[in-house]
Amino acid sequence: MGIRVAVVGASGYAGGELLRLLAGHPEFELVAATAHSQAGAHVAAVHPQLSGLDLTLSATSPAALADADLVFLALPHGQSAALAGQLPAGVKVVDLGADFRLQDGELWRRYYGGEHAGTWTYGLPELPGQRELIASADRVANTGCYAATVTLALAPLIAGGLADPADVVVVAASGTSGAGRNAKAHLLGSEVMGDLSPYKVGAHQHVPEIKQATGATSLSMTPVLAPMPRGILATVTARFAKQGDPRAVLVEAYANEAFVHVLPEGQWPHTAATSGSNSCHLQATVDADSGRIVVVSALDNLGKGAAGQAVQCANLMSGLPETTGLSVFGVAP
Amino acid sequence: MGIRVAVVGASGYAGGELLRLLAGHPEFELVAATAHSQAGAHVAAVHPQLSGLDLTLSATSPAALADADLVFLALPHGQSAALAGQLPAGVKVVDLGADFRLQDGELWRRYYGGEHAGTWTYGLPELPGQRELIASADRVANTGCYAATVTLALAPLIAGGLADPADVVVVAASGTSGAGRNAKAHLLGSEVMGDLSPYKVGAHQHVPEIKQATGATSLSMTPVLAPMPRGILATVTARFAKQGDPRAVLVEAYANEAFVHVLPEGQWPHTAATSGSNSCHLQATVDADSGRIVVVSALDNLGKGAAGQAVQCANLMSGLPETTGLSVFGVAP
Amino acid sequence: MGIRVAVVGASGYAGGELLRLLAGHPEFELVAATAHSQAGAHVAAVHPQLSGLDLTLSATSPAALADADLVFLALPHGQSAALAGQLPAGVKVVDLGADFRLQDGELWRRYYGGEHAGTWTYGLPELPGQRELIASADRVANTGCYAATVTLALAPLIAGGLADPADVVVVAASGTSGAGRNAKAHLLGSEVMGDLSPYKVGAHQHVPEIKQATGATSLSMTPVLAPMPRGILATVTARFAKQGDPRAVLVEAYANEAFVHVLPEGQWPHTAATSGSNSCHLQATVDADSGRIVVVSALDNLGKGAAGQAVQCANLMSGLPETTGLSVFGVAP
Amino acid sequence: MGIRVAVVGASGYAGGELLRLLAGHPEFELVAATAHSQAGAHVAAVHPQLSGLDLTLSATSPAALADADLVFLALPHGQSAALAGQLPAGVKVVDLGADFRLQDGELWRRYYGGEHAGTWTYGLPELPGQRELIASADRVANTGCYAATVTLALAPLIAGGLADPADVVVVAASGTSGAGRNAKAHLLGSEVMGDLSPYKVGAHQHVPEIKQATGATSLSMTPVLAPMPRGILATVTARFAKQGDPRAVLVEAYANEAFVHVLPEGQWPHTAATSGSNSCHLQATVDADSGRIVVVSALDNLGKGAAGQAVQCANLMSGLPETTGLSVFGVAP
């Protein structure tokens, strides 16, 4: 018999992607999917791509989750702690929200507002030593989507001493699903198609998360909304702390990773190649004019940036092979 | 040990989708993928979404296919016959091209030009009796993408006597991958984004295929190129031959089908919900003003419209459960 | 000194396009632009494309319009009548809403609900005799966007006796701005990009308007939402009532029109070519298989489908050359 | 009578936009438009958005340009010099290509290859003193599209001493028309829709042009292809050389400019707002975490980035008001 899992906040985009992945997962058995305003709806009325899945969304409550061995929380920031506190200790939890990512409560309050709920094991298995911590944890805080994209590009270069942690500049563009399923005027198709628009310039809440995960001490990050449903492309540049070959460092760091691919020289990552997958594509070079390290990182914000990452962590927490139910390959074109 | 399969014409969009599906197929073992100008290239240089797949494209030749039990042909129209004729009789073949779809050689010459190569079993398992024919066939002609979309909507209504076969009007819009991976100016992103453009109005080569598969005798079809990579949405209207409930006819026709879903009343198919899947979504109504039957059909032109359909046929031909290695669920948003 | 004009409902997409056209109009002087929830905002905060225009939106009231010789109403359906009734008789009004388009009050109530406010001169100058009526009218009801697209394609063919008015089938796809600037979940960029979705199948409110304007007696219309901000492409098919050359009929009907272009034979209209312009592109053929007339019509739903059409009518009402301040040429790619 | 102008290379995207602008220009009379493989075609067969313009493309030759007072060259890089050398000295020329932009021949050879043809007056009127140079020049080298976007953001900050010219990092994303009308596979709609892809990382040919125009001495630039037809969004960051308010510097620099708008505080530029216009939108801030200057710049690569800029220069060279025939306002949504 499978491991029984539940999804809380199943009506959003990350929730929908989780349901899709779980429907194809050979070891996880979905026993509940809950929502707030959509409780009572058939899943295919909320997520038409899941037509054929026999599932009705229920209202979120601890009772609705009573049968689950492992619970995925896909709630808006600030709402995970209350529910998590009501779950029995033996129930494993992966939180796709930000509530438990940061170690520094003061930073949490500054970027998110409200009280800091605490700190859970950070859910990025490819960080050194992190896979083991996740495998033995009952509570895991899944990465932010920009944070995953940038951290995979940057962490080995700072750890290896090549990149100056005090001089990192990031411009990262995301598809619109990263902004969630919120009916806001600036996210309308009419506004976003044919358009690139920056937002939260120098003020994005993933900055402290990236710094914590990579050791960067000074990070300029400009997020950009891009006219596509999925995908993040991050350009990460840093000054050299000591000379070296940044691509070689990445190749070594990820030599044994199933989901992080340093592309052959001359081939650059692009988002469509990772769409629908749990893969992150990387490439690095040294800028000819400035001498800066330039790394480009691409992934699917709903895949390796959210739901895929969460399933990868859940696999580890459940003693399953890490790749179970996840695709290395993207859906393109 | 698995069934050994090969893909000929692996560098195009349908070829790439075939490789993606085969990479995740539990029973098929990919033993060769061939191409013409891209022979010798690593698959991920041609299809970056397949990064992580250890495969080099070889040149197309019968020798390159010697190890295969089953061969998928994804070649331009008119090129399948020559190669198919060189394959041993025991080798199963699914042709994604048009060469063997039509029974009437005169129609083939009119719409495609050149000599008619012959007629193979038509690869649409959901047509009455067709599943059994495919299961026992060694050679199967996969459906055209528009043909699959329209036939699934129309065939039961004509077979059931509701739709007048002499009065069918179709407008069908397709994502650009349906036009293939051809570097033509009118297919450039700059031209297609923000644009809808009709083409081959009243002259599309899938018209005779749809008529043959559905029994329609008069069919007006206007194809439209739409600004998206994948997906076909067909609006099929017909005059009533006898009154009845068109939705009920479709519900009954597809009650036991895994991949053809008649949506709940009030919910209309849209292409994104089928993206990356092998599903076709249908809905039908009676037009309030004209009294015509209106059916809308949506599928992924590279999935149920090409590579997914081909794998479904290959499963049948190989004695496997029809759904093996195929997804019912779309990747959305 | 110019003719003083005002825009009511200036915060929506049609309102924004009106402001853009009026900003470049050599004879109209914009004296007021009003809005509801956005009253008090600078125009560029609401319409960033109008950065550089010195204008603040005011609250909608008769007093705010006291200086205007001509008022454009771009309000939601059902809201024009109340305001129009408060404007002095000498003030000219062009209503971009549906309130005064239909002659049949019963149809108005069925498709829009609420009380029918009355009937104004229909604002499609290219209909025979209509230009003169508009030029002498004080109150003009601008066309609906689908209605303009379909009527320009169909009216001459019914008037000329070629098309059977009892057998018309239309499938028309529109960019998302046609759905207005409403923050609804199904209009989010994440939902519409990569997607085609039908809506109001057989039940769209422009059906009675098209029938009234063209003389069609039976009309099946399927509207489709397309992944682009602007543009409508309508495929209009009809059975022949008597044989003839549909393209020749269109060529003759529009020989002297600045904004309606029957394209050279073999060239089909596409929406991008009309983007930002007041032009409508047409092409016609006879379907080879069914013998039906097929006309394809393309225009910009915010241009000839809304704001451009309204300025064209206002030019006529003001004794100006009809093309003043309007572009024949589209912005593409 | 107007000033007689001609367009060489009229079949490309920049050429088409030039023709659109010239068709609406009140002082320029288009006397010839030439092309290579498209010579002899009606303009609307090549640029369907120009339906209604009575113009046939002629073959490129000095004789075809004999009637022109001013010639726009929109040729591939390396082809302008040969033709320009054959034009009489009294004929004014604006070159939209790169041939005459750089002062340093060695840099030209490194980035473009082949012989350096020389250096013309640089066509960016908003640079201090440059407007006067352009007005008195007979030969002007129009800016590159990325170069215009970045230079407008960066030049005043280096000139004012705020930005460290040795520490500039740029990530700039462009719509696909920036890559020209070349039928290449990686520019197909199927490839670019839903995709962000970097290219020429650290090696783009506009780097030396930007350095020359701004005084930057070290510039890391990562160009990205974005899924939209038009528009460039550049994020430009630099270390402070001395403290100050970067936004105030930009406000002062562009206080009297018609086409360069520093947006109100809190409002960030986005590309759609500049589409079809000759405007550039700017905003600046100080990054909260890194303390770097961050400027975002948006324009239409075919407008202020190419054809609009060229017309602005031609206006100056012809003694016309700089804004003649150009729009400040974008076409959006």
Side-chain angles (χ1 to χ4, degrees):
Chain A
M1 208 196 96
I3 295 154
R4 292 165 303 178
V5 302
V7 174
V8 174
S11 61
Y13 292 141
E17 186 74 350
L18 264 175
L19 294 180
R20 181 180 76 87
L21 294 174
L22 295 173
H25 197 288
E27 304 292 340
F28 289 153
E29 180 195 356
L30 184 69
V31 295
T34 78
H36 182 63
S37 62
Q38 303 274 12
H42 190 276
V43 67
V46 178
H47 298 297
Q49 74 273 22
L50 299 180
S51 173
L53 186 62
D54 185 18
L55 178 70
T56 298
L57 302 183
S58 49
T60 302
S61 75
L65 309 172
D67 290 340
D69 304 314
L70 187 152
V71 175
F72 295 97
L73 302 180
L75 292 166
H77 298 318
Q79 300 187 9
S80 295
L83 185 63
Q86 298 178 272
L87 296 176
V91 173
K92 294 180 168 66
V93 182
V94 178
D95 182 18
L96 283 80
D99 294 21
F100 299 98
R101 289 180 199 152
L102 296 185
Q103 289 158 5
D104 183 331
E106 179 49 36
L107 285 174
W108 206 91
R109 281 184 290 273
R110 189 191 311 165
Y111 280 92
Y112 294 95
E115 251 342 271
H116 185 223
T119 310
W120 290 356
T121 300
Y122 191 60
L124 187 49
E126 290 85 0
L127 287 180
Q130 202 67 16
R131 177 169 280 117
E132 294 71 23
L133 293 176
I134 296 167
S136 63
D138 276 343
R139 306 278 152 127
V140 166
N142 210 47
T143 56
C145 53
Y146 283 119
T149 320
V150 175
T151 298
L152 289 169
L154 184 59
L157 298 172
I158 290 181
L162 263 69
D164 180 350
D167 189 336
V168 179
V169 176
V170 175
V171 177
S174 173
T176 53
S177 62
R181 201 172 194 173
N182 303 305
K184 295 179 179 166
H186 76 285
L187 297 176
L188 286 172
S190 299
E191 312 273 334
V192 300
M193 288 186 285
D195 193 37
L196 288 168
S197 61
Y199 65 103
K200 294 189 184 176
V201 179
H204 196 280
Q205 67 274 12
H206 290 178
V207 168
E209 183 181 339
I210 296 168
K211 292 170 69 179
Q212 174 182 297
T214 63
T217 56
S218 170
L219 183 81
S220 165
M221 175 160 141
T222 301
V224 175
L225 194 68
M228 55 192 200
R230 290 187 180 218
I232 292 180
L233 188 88
T235 301
V236 180
T237 83
R239 198 183 288 267
F240 272 108
K242 70 167 187 207
Q243 290 302 309
D245 178 349
R247 187 176 174 279
V249 170
L250 294 175
V251 166
E252 188 185 344
Y254 299 119
N256 299 314
E257 294 294 343
F259 295 122
V260 183
H261 306 178
V262 183
L263 301 187
E265 288 193 64
Q267 194 179 340
W268 287 88
H270 60 112
T271 58
T274 64
S275 194
S277 83
N278 196 48
S279 290
C280 173
H281 291 183
L282 296 172
Q283 182 60 284
T285 194
V286 180
D287 183 82
D289 194 83
S290 69
R292 291 179 76 91
I293 300 168
V294 182
V295 191
V296 175
S297 174
L299 52 72
D300 181 338
N301 59 297
L302 293 179
K304 184 67 176 165
Q309 182 93 289
V311 170
Q312 187 180 351
C313 289
N315 285 339
L316 285 166
M317 296 162 77
S318 305
L320 298 172
E322 192 169 344
T323 58
T324 310
L326 294 169
S327 177
V328 169
F329 306 121
V331 179
Chain B
M1 206 194 99
I3 296 154
R4 292 165 304 178
V5 302
V7 174
V8 174
S11 61
Y13 292 141
E17 185 74 351
L18 265 174
L19 295 180
R20 181 180 75 87
L21 293 174
L22 295 173
H25 197 288
E27 303 292 340
F28 288 153
E29 179 196 358
L30 184 69
V31 294
T34 78
H36 182 63
S37 62
Q38 303 273 12
H42 191 275
V43 67
V46 178
H47 298 295
Q49 74 273 22
L50 300 181
S51 173
L53 186 63
D54 184 18
L55 178 71
T56 298
L57 302 183
S58 49
T60 302
S61 75
L65 308 172
D67 290 341
D69 305 313
L70 188 150
V71 174
F72 295 97
L73 302 179
L75 292 166
H77 299 319
Q79 298 187 10
S80 295
L83 185 63
Q86 297 177 273
L87 296 176
V91 173
K92 293 181 170 65
V93 182
V94 178
D95 182 18
L96 284 78
D99 294 23
F100 299 98
R101 288 180 199 152
L102 296 185
Q103 289 158 5
D104 183 331
E106 179 51 33
L107 285 173
W108 206 90
R109 282 185 288 274
R110 189 191 310 163
Y111 280 92
Y112 294 95
E115 252 340 271
H116 185 223
T119 310
W120 288 357
T121 300
Y122 191 60
L124 187 50
E126 290 85 1
L127 287 179
Q130 203 66 18
R131 177 169 282 117
E132 294 71 22
L133 293 176
I134 296 167
S136 62
D138 277 344
R139 306 278 152 126
V140 167
N142 210 46
T143 57
C145 53
Y146 283 120
T149 320
V150 175
T151 298
L152 289 169
L154 184 60
L157 297 173
I158 290 181
L162 262 69
D164 180 351
D167 189 335
V168 179
V169 176
V170 174
V171 178
S174 173
T176 54
S177 62
R181 202 172 191 172
N182 303 303
K184 296 179 178 164
H186 76 284
L187 297 176
L188 286 172
S190 299
E191 312 272 335
V192 300
M193 288 186 285
D195 193 38
L196 289 168
S197 62
Y199 66 103
K200 294 190 183 175
V201 178
H204 197 279
Q205 66 274 13
H206 288 179
V207 168
E209 184 181 339
I210 295 168
K211 291 170 71 180
Q212 174 183 296
T214 63
T217 56
S218 171
L219 183 81
S220 166
M221 176 159 142
T222 302
V224 175
L225 194 67
M228 55 193 200
R230 292 187 177 216
I232 293 181
L233 189 89
T235 302
V236 181
T237 83
R239 197 183 289 268
F240 272 108
K242 70 168 188 204
Q243 289 303 309
D245 177 350
R247 187 175 175 279
V249 170
L250 294 175
V251 166
E252 188 185 344
Y254 299 120
N256 299 313
E257 294 294 343
F259 294 121
V260 182
H261 306 178
V262 182
L263 300 187
E265 288 193 65
Q267 193 178 341
W268 286 88
H270 61 112
T271 59
T274 65
S275 195
S277 83
N278 196 47
S279 290
C280 173
H281 291 183
L282 297 171
Q283 183 59 284
T285 193
V286 180
D287 182 82
D289 193 83
S290 69
R292 289 179 77 90
I293 301 167
V294 182
V295 191
V296 174
S297 174
L299 53 70
D300 181 338
N301 59 296
L302 293 179
K304 183 68 177 166
Q309 182 92 289
V311 170
Q312 186 182 352
C313 288
N315 285 339
L316 286 165
M317 296 163 76
S318 305
L320 298 172
E322 194 169 344
T323 57
T324 310
L326 294 169
S327 177
V328 168
F329 306 121
V331 179
Chain C
M1 207 196 96
I3 296 154
R4 293 165 301 181
V5 302
V7 174
V8 174
S11 60
Y13 292 141
E17 185 74 350
L18 265 174
L19 295 180
R20 182 180 75 87
L21 293 174
L22 295 172
H25 196 287
E27 304 293 339
F28 288 152
E29 179 196 356
L30 184 69
V31 295
T34 77
H36 182 64
S37 61
Q38 303 273 13
H42 190 275
V43 67
V46 177
H47 299 296
Q49 74 272 24
L50 300 180
S51 172
L53 185 63
D54 184 17
L55 177 71
T56 297
L57 302 183
S58 50
T60 302
S61 74
L65 309 171
D67 290 339
D69 304 315
L70 188 151
V71 175
F72 295 97
L73 302 179
L75 292 166
H77 299 319
Q79 300 187 9
S80 295
L83 185 64
Q86 297 176 274
L87 296 175
V91 173
K92 293 181 171 65
V93 182
V94 179
D95 182 19
L96 283 81
D99 294 22
F100 299 98
R101 288 181 199 153
L102 296 185
Q103 290 158 5
D104 183 332
E106 179 50 35
L107 285 174
W108 206 91
R109 281 184 290 275
R110 188 191 310 165
Y111 279 93
Y112 295 95
E115 251 341 90
H116 185 223
T119 310
W120 289 359
T121 300
Y122 191 60
L124 186 50
E126 290 85 0
L127 287 179
Q130 201 68 16
R131 177 169 281 117
E132 295 71 23
L133 293 176
I134 296 167
S136 63
D138 277 345
R139 307 277 153 127
V140 166
N142 210 47
T143 56
C145 53
Y146 283 119
T149 319
V150 175
T151 299
L152 289 169
L154 184 60
L157 298 173
I158 290 180
L162 262 69
D164 180 352
D167 189 335
V168 180
V169 176
V170 175
V171 177
S174 173
T176 53
S177 62
R181 202 172 193 173
N182 303 304
K184 295 178 179 167
H186 76 285
L187 298 175
L188 286 172
S190 299
E191 311 272 334
V192 300
M193 289 187 284
D195 192 38
L196 288 168
S197 61
Y199 65 103
K200 294 189 183 176
V201 179
H204 196 278
Q205 65 274 13
H206 289 179
V207 169
E209 184 181 340
I210 295 168
K211 291 170 71 179
Q212 174 182 297
T214 62
T217 56
S218 170
L219 183 81
S220 165
M221 176 161 142
T222 302
V224 175
L225 194 68
M228 54 193 201
R230 290 186 179 219
I232 293 180
L233 188 89
T235 301
V236 180
T237 84
R239 196 183 290 265
F240 273 109
K242 70 169 186 201
Q243 289 303 308
D245 179 349
R247 186 175 176 279
V249 170
L250 294 175
V251 166
E252 188 185 345
Y254 299 119
N256 299 314
E257 294 294 343
F259 294 121
V260 183
H261 305 178
V262 183
L263 300 187
E265 288 193 65
Q267 194 178 340
W268 286 89
H270 60 114
T271 59
T274 65
S275 194
S277 82
N278 196 48
S279 291
C280 173
H281 291 183
L282 297 171
Q283 182 59 284
T285 194
V286 181
D287 183 82
D289 193 85
S290 69
R292 290 179 76 92
I293 300 167
V294 181
V295 191
V296 175
S297 176
L299 52 70
D300 182 338
N301 59 297
L302 294 180
K304 184 67 175 166
Q309 181 93 288
V311 170
Q312 187 181 352
C313 288
N315 285 340
L316 286 166
M317 295 163 77
S318 304
L320 299 172
E322 193 169 343
T323 57
T324 310
L326 293 169
S327 177
V328 169
F329 306 122
V331 179
Chain D
M1 209 197 96
I3 296 155
R4 292 166 305 180
V5 303
V7 174
V8 174
S11 61
Y13 292 141
E17 185 74 350
L18 264 174
L19 295 180
R20 182 180 76 86
L21 294 174
L22 295 172
H25 196 287
E27 304 293 339
F28 288 152
E29 180 196 357
L30 184 69
V31 295
T34 79
H36 183 64
S37 61
Q38 303 274 12
H42 190 277
V43 67
V46 178
H47 298 296
Q49 73 273 23
L50 300 180
S51 174
L53 185 63
D54 184 18
L55 178 70
T56 298
L57 302 183
S58 49
T60 302
S61 75
L65 308 172
D67 290 340
D69 305 314
L70 188 150
V71 175
F72 295 97
L73 302 179
L75 293 166
H77 299 319
Q79 300 187 10
S80 295
L83 184 64
Q86 296 177 274
L87 296 175
V91 173
K92 292 180 170 67
V93 182
V94 179
D95 182 18
L96 283 79
D99 294 22
F100 299 99
R101 287 180 200 153
L102 295 185
Q103 290 159 4
D104 182 331
E106 180 50 36
L107 284 174
W108 206 91
R109 281 185 290 273
R110 188 191 312 165
Y111 280 93
Y112 294 96
E115 250 342 271
H116 185 222
T119 310
W120 289 357
T121 300
Y122 192 61
L124 187 50
E126 289 85 359
L127 287 179
Q130 202 67 17
R131 176 169 281 117
E132 294 71 22
L133 294 176
I134 296 168
S136 63
D138 276 344
R139 306 276 152 129
V140 167
N142 210 48
T143 56
C145 53
Y146 283 119
T149 319
V150 175
T151 299
L152 289 168
L154 184 60
L157 297 173
I158 291 181
L162 263 69
D164 180 351
D167 189 336
V168 179
V169 177
V170 175
V171 178
S174 173
T176 54
S177 62
R181 202 172 192 173
N182 303 304
K184 295 179 180 165
H186 75 285
L187 298 174
L188 286 172
S190 299
E191 312 273 333
V192 300
M193 289 186 284
D195 193 38
L196 289 168
S197 60
Y199 64 104
K200 294 188 184 176
V201 179
H204 197 278
Q205 66 274 12
H206 289 179
V207 168
E209 183 181 340
I210 295 167
K211 291 170 70 178
Q212 175 183 296
T214 62
T217 56
S218 170
L219 183 80
S220 164
M221 175 159 141
T222 301
V224 175
L225 194 68
M228 56 192 201
R230 292 186 178 218
I232 293 181
L233 188 89
T235 301
V236 181
T237 83
R239 196 183 289 266
F240 272 109
K242 70 166 188 206
Q243 290 302 308
D245 178 350
R247 186 175 175 279
V249 170
L250 294 175
V251 166
E252 188 184 345
Y254 299 119
N256 299 314
E257 294 295 343
F259 294 121
V260 182
H261 306 177
V262 182
L263 301 187
E265 288 192 67
Q267 193 177 341
W268 286 88
H270 60 113
T271 59
T274 65
S275 194
S277 83
N278 196 48
S279 290
C280 174
H281 291 182
L282 296 172
Q283 183 60 285
T285 194
V286 181
D287 183 82
D289 193 84
S290 68
R292 290 179 77 91
I293 301 168
V294 182
V295 191
V296 175
S297 175
L299 52 71
D300 182 339
N301 59 299
L302 294 179
K304 183 68 175 165
Q309 182 93 288
V311 170
Q312 187 181 352
C313 288
N315 285 339
L316 285 165
M317 295 163 77
S318 305
L320 298 171
E322 193 170 345
T323 58
T324 309
L326 293 170
S327 177
V328 169
F329 306 121
V331 179

